[in-house]
Amino acid sequence: MSATTPVRPVLPPDIKARKGGQPLVMLTAYTTPMARLVDPHCDMVLVGDSLGMVLHGLPSTVGVTMEMMILHGRSVMRGLSKAMAVIDLPFGSYEESPQQAFRNAARLMAETGAPSVKLEGGAHMAETIAFLTARGVPVMAHIGLTPQSVNTLGGYKVVGRDDEAAKVMADARACEAAGAFAIVLEKVPQGLTRKITAALSIPTIGIGAGADCDGQVLVIDDMLGLFTDFRPKFVKRYAELGKLADAAIATYAGEVRARAFPGPEHVFADVLPVKAKS
Ligand code: KIV
């Protein structure tokens, strides 16, 4: 390969082909600097509608709009050079009809450059998933706990215990049959996750669904300790950046009040220094 050969971007069929292989790594990102940080380490980067809660202080993802997704999607795309982007269709942008879903999915892809979308819902969204995939929109499905339905689910509960298990399995099979290239399982019990992962030919990506999935996803601000409003059981904190930031900001505030910042190294002289003759 010559130095000028362009690198082919990772596309949904490449992700699908990773079924059963080395686990797929996925994190969310919402901005260019965060995308640059996660890009070298991830197979996929999710511009999740979790950005409504994490960045915009909304009480749930229900208030997230297409404009917010496009703004953050564009920002993330500027920071990616290796990992494949997946962008969430926000609540209200796809549930009404397959046609509405296509219009908004096409807009997200065209205006951000992301090569795939994610939508929440199982068997009842199968017709929409088939409609989109037949028209050039790669779809990642999302079942189990679907946070956009928090108001009908009555909270962020585990989905798929006892009698619910058969429905979650049916949802997974319906999404696969409709053409989804991968499927997120959120807050699904681990035994059921194992069965779904074994039954499907597409990769399962877990969040709170145990280690048997074909990949894992976490919200970046959760795993870095930047979002601390609440902490789901499935989140592992790999760093405590929120605490580090708090300490740094407190030090800055103290130094400003004590006139210790800025120091001599941060200021500009009134006259240019005279250059030494050689
Ligand atoms: O919006 C999001 O970040 C998500 C993940 C939690 C899977 O959908």
Side-chain angles (χ1 to χ4, degrees):
M1 189 169 80
S2 86
T4 54
T5 306
V7 177
R8 191 178 75 76
V10 177
L11 290 172
D14 304 312
I15 299 296
K16 192 173 169 184
R18 295 272 303 270
K19 172 75 187 177
Q22 192 186 41
L24 289 155
V25 179
M26 187 179 198
L27 281 169
T28 67
Y30 318 114
T31 62
T32 306
M34 199 57 94
R36 285 195 182 125
L37 281 174
V38 301
D39 182 59
H41 306 285
C42 289
D43 300 297
M44 288 181 283
V45 172
L46 174 64
V47 188
D49 62 354
S50 48
L51 62 83
M53 299 169 79
V54 171
L55 291 192
H56 294 270
L58 294 174
S60 74
T61 55
V62 172
V64 175
T65 63
M66 281 288 293
E67 284 63 36
M68 289 159 84
M69 295 310 301
I70 288 168
L71 184 73
H72 289 286
R74 281 184 176 159
S75 182
V76 167
M77 290 305 289
R78 280 181 219 120
L80 296 185
S81 54
K82 171 190 149 288
M84 189 189 86
V86 182
I87 184 162
D88 261 341
L89 278 159
F91 179 68
S93 72
Y94 63 97
E95 301 89 334
E96 196 177 314
S97 65
Q99 288 77 5
Q100 183 212 24
F102 180 76
R103 252 191 327 276
N104 284 315
R107 194 174 157 214
L108 281 185
M109 290 172 71
E111 295 189 25
T112 67
S116 66
V117 302
K118 177 166 81 59
L119 58 79
E120 295 184 7
H124 67 286
M125 291 310 301
E127 186 192 347
T128 295
I129 295 171
F131 191 89
L132 295 183
T133 52
R135 286 161 180 77
V137 178
V139 178
M140 175 177 279
H142 181 158
I143 63 166
L145 171 64
T146 47
Q148 293 174 8
S149 302
V150 61
N151 293 307
T152 45
L153 293 173
Y156 298 102
K157 300 173 192 158
V158 172
V159 177
R161 284 195 175 121
D162 306 318
D163 294 349
E164 262 181 356
K167 183 186 175 304
V168 178
M169 175 61 89
D171 280 338
R173 288 192 193 277
C175 293
E176 175 190 38
F181 72 86
I183 186 164
V184 169
L185 306 180
E186 180 162 355
K187 269 194 146 178
V188 170
Q190 58 176 353
L192 179 58
T193 293
R194 203 172 297 130
K195 286 183 192 151
I196 293 173
T197 301
L200 299 192
S201 62
I202 57 173
T204 56
I205 311 294
I207 174 159
D212 293 306
C213 292
D214 297 297
Q216 298 291 330
V217 59
L218 280 177
V219 169
I220 186 79
D221 294 64
D222 283 341
M223 59 91 79
L224 293 180
L226 285 168
F227 181 76
T228 53
D229 290 5
F230 57 89
R231 181 176 175 177
K233 179 181 174 180
F234 57 75
V235 170
K236 177 171 175 183
R237 287 255 176 92
Y238 285 84
E240 292 291 352
L241 297 194
K243 286 186 185 151
L244 281 177
D246 183 62
I249 295 162
T251 303
Y252 164 75
E255 290 189 3
V256 169
R257 291 189 180 109
R259 296 195 187 280
F261 175 84
E265 69 276 33
H266 305 119
V267 298
F268 301 94
D270 291 293
V271 287
L272 284 174
V274 181
K275 276 191 192 155
K277 285 188 187 147
S278 54

